[in-house]
Amino acid sequence: MGKRKSSDKGGNKNKKFKAGGFLDPNTSGIYATCARGKEQQCRKELMNIFSDKIEQLYDLDQYKDEQSDEEDKELSIEDQIKKELNDMKQTNESKKEFLKPIEIGCECVVFIKTRKPVQPEELVEKICKDCVESKEKTTRYTLKLTPITYSVSPTIEEVKKLAAKVLAPHFHKPEGQEPVKFAIQVSKRNFNTLERGDIIKTIAECVGREHGHSVDLKKYDKLILVECFKTNIGMGVASNYEKFEKYNLQQIFEKNMGEDDLSRVKKEEKDSKEEQKEDANAKKE
């Protein structure tokens, strides 16, 4: 009797990530890194944090799908009451209109898509600033954040268009533009369409020197962040990158803690891991 062929269903049993996970052009949002295997927890954590912060930063009611006053007036009193009750129930759901987790199929990296009025750069700065001021650890799984103002397809011409749009508020103000020292950081994940050097050269040319701007890799005023992922190139500009520990929330927390408190936290984390290990061994026995 011949050997039974193995089923294809079990071939990808241990494969955690799908081969898909592309980002569309014109996408805005925030990349975040986390420990391997904690992507799902990181996404949930960020959705909660981002939802709270955007309520503090923006008047979201102005940007919801507009229902004209005239349409409301046409409703009967009974229907208006039903609509008001329904709106109250959907308050939390409405936040999700501005934030959407995207499965990108990349280990240790998650992406939360944003839409207006949410500005990724502003949101990340707010979160980092609050972490510094509160000196409290508000995240468990999230490590580093990277804001992406806009994104395009991976061609030099599209990169030029992207740079013109993203860099203008920082480098090309119509009036009173001050000289800016800048640097460019390019990160590539599953991306080999364009060379890093070509991307940097193109962006530097778009910044220009007409306002006295200059490159300074160590003492820059602004850092241009470029995230290349598969068929997408995203760009954002960080104004307080070094001040906020390169937007690394874990490092912000550790820096703001005293040595005694930090040692205590690390000891608690170690003890917790040892207890979990002991519990697992006990169950096996």
Side-chain angles (χ1 to χ4, degrees):
M1 187 173 181
K3 293 183 178 179
R4 180 180 297 176
K5 292 183 179 180
S6 59
S7 174
D8 292 337
K9 293 181 180 179
N12 294 326
K13 186 176 180 180
N14 296 322
K15 193 171 182 179
K16 291 184 178 181
F17 296 92
K18 298 179 181 179
F22 292 90
L23 293 179
D24 296 326
N26 303 319
T27 298
S28 300
I30 299 171
Y31 283 97
T33 59
C34 62
R36 182 176 296 175
K38 301 299 182 182
E39 293 81 9
Q40 184 176 354
Q41 293 93 324
C42 180
R43 274 192 293 270
K44 291 181 179 179
E45 178 177 76
L46 287 177
M47 286 295 289
N48 291 331
I49 294 172
F50 289 175
S51 294
D52 290 339
K53 296 301 179 184
I54 63 175
E55 272 201 333
Q56 299 173 23
L57 287 171
Y58 311 106
D59 183 0
L60 301 180
D61 290 333
Q62 291 184 356
Y63 292 85
K64 290 178 182 178
D65 294 335
E66 296 182 356
Q67 299 291 338
S68 66
D69 293 336
E70 293 181 0
E71 290 179 351
D72 289 342
K73 290 178 181 178
E74 292 177 358
L75 296 175
S76 65
I77 295 177
E78 184 180 353
D79 288 338
Q80 288 184 31
I81 294 174
K82 288 181 180 179
K83 183 177 182 301
E84 289 179 4
L85 291 173
N86 187 54
D87 289 344
M88 291 173 64
K89 291 179 181 179
Q90 294 182 350
T91 300
N92 291 329
E93 289 296 323
S94 65
K95 297 177 190 176
K96 296 179 181 179
E97 297 178 6
F98 308 97
L99 302 166
K100 182 180 180 181
I102 304 296
E103 176 59 69
I104 61 175
C106 186
E107 281 191 335
C108 305
V109 183
V110 303
F111 185 83
I112 307 297
K113 182 179 179 179
T114 63
R115 76 171 181 86
K116 291 182 179 180
V118 179
Q119 299 179 23
E121 298 165 0
E122 187 176 33
L123 179 56
V124 170
E125 290 257 338
K126 169 67 174 173
I127 291 171
C128 291
K129 182 180 179 182
D130 288 351
C131 286
V132 170
E133 293 177 350
S134 68
K135 297 184 179 181
E136 294 180 357
K137 186 172 173 56
T138 57
T139 58
R140 181 178 179 183
Y141 304 102
T142 307
L143 300 177
K144 183 177 180 179
L145 303 175
T146 302
I148 295 302
T149 306
Y150 296 106
S151 62
V152 295
S153 300
T155 68
I156 290 297
E157 288 304 315
E158 288 297 310
V159 170
K160 290 179 180 178
K161 294 177 183 178
L162 176 65
K165 190 172 188 177
V166 174
L167 302 181
H170 303 275
F171 298 92
H172 305 138
K173 295 177 183 177
E175 297 180 2
Q177 177 65 62
E178 298 291 333
V180 176
K181 291 184 290 185
F182 71 95
I184 303 170
Q185 176 179 290
V186 178
S187 298
K188 300 170 70 175
R189 294 185 179 92
N190 301 329
F191 182 93
N192 56 10
T193 308
L194 298 175
E195 296 295 331
R196 180 179 276 102
D198 293 337
I199 296 173
I200 292 174
K201 180 181 178 182
T202 300
I203 296 173
E205 290 175 350
C206 291
V207 172
R209 298 179 180 274
E210 59 268 26
H211 296 289
H213 302 319
S214 60
V215 176
D216 193 323
L217 302 181
K218 293 184 178 180
K219 296 183 179 180
Y220 49 80
D221 302 312
K222 294 180 182 290
L223 178 66
I224 302 172
L225 300 166
V226 184
E227 286 288 329
C228 303
F229 176 72
K230 292 186 178 178
T231 60
N232 185 279
I233 296 181
M235 185 184 299
V237 179
S239 300
N240 296 290
Y241 197 65
E242 296 294 334
K243 176 182 177 181
F244 291 139
E245 304 299 318
K246 300 181 178 180
Y247 293 165
N248 190 310
L249 302 182
Q250 179 64 28
Q251 290 184 9
I252 290 175
F253 172 69
E254 292 181 0
K255 182 178 180 180
N256 287 328
M257 291 188 69
E259 291 185 4
D260 293 339
D261 290 334
L262 183 58
S263 298
R264 174 180 56 78
V265 171
K266 288 186 175 181
K267 183 178 184 301
E268 290 176 353
E269 292 178 348
K270 183 179 179 181
D271 292 342
S272 178
K273 290 180 180 179
E274 290 179 351
E275 288 178 3
Q276 292 176 5
K277 188 176 181 180
E278 290 177 358
D279 290 342
N281 291 333
K283 289 179 180 179
K284 289 180 180 179
E285 294 175 356

